[in-house]
């Protein structure tokens, strides 16, 4: 990559996707949502009738997994083959099984390489990549490394506004069970050495974006 590499991690509901996207927009950077790849793989497994708890079957599906995502923060289209799955990968049925595919080491190794190649091929002025293990595994040498956190209460409240069609209690319960499963695989609740924590509990959306943008411009 010729530009500035920004790595942002955080738990579900921390607002990291919308904050990362808005940061990229403000700075004219590219944007990479790595959770979308895990979600697209889970979607693809469901679509092909693959049991997501069958690691061997999920691994066998990797070579045929034709995943494409644009890094334009204004048009993040996610495709598997010719199918636009941008909306479908957010469905609760996908969220419910995504951690099962994300905990398979071969899946992680495969996708980490994909994420690194997107970063390598990114253009100036830079790229914001967001997920759970970006500051630690995907791009530990990124120019800016941020852990975006918020209190559990704030995260649940934000996520229940995003997810419609089910009660806030159900959404909160699904979110925390996904965090518990995910944190067995990657520690995204504690900042690694050299990673700056941005706690958004008492910040509104614009203040959070400004805090992140300021961290980027301070090294740029
Ligand atoms: O960020 P998002 O909630 O869309 O991520 C969906 C899922 O993808 C997470 O629950 C986690 O299982 C997986 N994930 C991951 N590592 C990343 C990004 C996402 O394991 N870097």
């Amino acid at each position: 990559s010729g530009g500035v590499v920004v790595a942002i991690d955080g738990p579900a509901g921390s607002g990291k996707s919308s904050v990362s996207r808005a940061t990229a927009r403000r700075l004219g950077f590219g944007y990479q949502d790595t959770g979308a790849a895990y979600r697209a793989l889970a979607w693809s497994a469901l679509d092909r009738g693959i049991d997501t708890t069958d690691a061997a079957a999920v691994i066998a599906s990797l070579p045929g997994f034709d995943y494409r995502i644009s890094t334009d923060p204004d048009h993040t289209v996610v495709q598997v083959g010719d199918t636009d799955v941008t909306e479908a990968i957010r469905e609760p049925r996908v969220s419910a099984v995504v951690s099962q595919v994300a905990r398979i080491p071969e899946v992680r190794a495969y996708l980490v390489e994909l994420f690194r190649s997107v970063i390598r091929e990114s253009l100036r002025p830079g790229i914001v990549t967001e997920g759970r293990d970006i500051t630690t595994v995907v791009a530990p040498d990124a120019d800016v490394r941020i852990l975006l956190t918020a209190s559990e209460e704030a995260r649940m409240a934000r996520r229940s506004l995003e997810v419609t069609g089910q009660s806030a209690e159900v959404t909160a319960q699904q979110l925390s069970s996904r965090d518990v499963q995910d944190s067995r695989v990657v520690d995204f609740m504690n900042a690694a050495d050299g990673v700056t924590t941005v706690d958004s509990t008492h910040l509104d959306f614009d203040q959070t974006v400004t805090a992140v943008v300021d961290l980027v411009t301070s090294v740029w």
Side-chain angles (χ1 to χ4, degrees):
S1 162
V4 178
V5 175
V6 181
I8 302 183
D9 288 325
S14 62
K16 81 192 138 51
S17 294
S18 42
V19 169
S20 299
R21 187 193 304 265
T23 298
R25 248 187 218 134
R26 271 211 216 165
L27 295 169
F29 280 30
Y31 165 64
Q32 176 170 218
D33 170 2
T34 63
Y38 290 96
R39 288 173 175 278
L41 182 63
W43 177 89
S44 168
L46 295 177
D47 184 60
R48 297 187 194 186
I50 293 169
D51 174 1
T52 50
T53 65
D54 182 347
V58 174
I59 293 165
S61 78
L62 284 173
F65 179 51
D66 179 18
Y67 171 75
R68 269 161 294 156
I69 188 165
S70 88
T71 53
D72 176 349
D74 291 313
H75 304 277
T76 343
V77 175
V78 183
Q79 268 183 286
V80 174
D82 293 331
T83 312
D84 181 339
V85 297
T86 313
E87 314 250 300
I89 60 170
R90 307 288 159 196
E91 288 171 9
R93 69 186 185 99
V94 174
S95 303
V97 299
V98 65
S99 301
Q100 293 169 348
V101 308
R103 71 169 170 238
I104 304 169
E106 289 85 347
V107 164
R108 303 199 69 81
Y110 183 90
L111 291 181
V112 164
E113 278 316 309
L114 188 85
F115 304 148
R116 287 182 180 153
S117 72
V118 170
I119 294 171
R120 261 196 314 273
E121 286 157 26
S122 66
L123 304 172
R124 287 170 188 279
I127 186 163
V128 179
T129 297
E130 159 260 302
R132 301 285 188 293
D133 61 347
I134 314 306
T135 62
T136 51
V137 177
V138 174
D141 53 356
D143 300 292
V144 184
R145 296 154 74 213
I146 296 169
L147 182 70
L148 191 61
T149 61
S151 70
E152 172 139 344
E153 207 181 6
R155 296 192 288 110
M156 301 300 162
R158 287 174 195 161
R159 187 49 68 94
S160 68
L161 291 176
E162 286 169 25
V163 180
T164 52
Q166 62 184 25
S167 73
E169 289 73 26
V170 169
T171 300
Q173 204 260 318
Q174 289 168 346
L175 196 92
S176 62
S177 94
R178 189 150 61 90
D179 276 344
V180 167
Q181 292 178 66
D182 289 340
S183 53
R184 287 192 194 117
V185 180
V186 185
D187 180 9
F188 49 83
M189 299 302 266
N190 301 292
D193 266 0
V195 175
T196 306
T197 299
V198 173
D199 184 346
S200 72
T201 307
H202 302 293
L203 301 179
D204 68 22
F205 180 73
D206 278 339
Q207 290 170 325
T208 310
V209 175
T210 298
V212 172
V213 167
D214 286 349
L215 284 170
V216 179
T217 50
S218 71
V219 305
W220 187 17

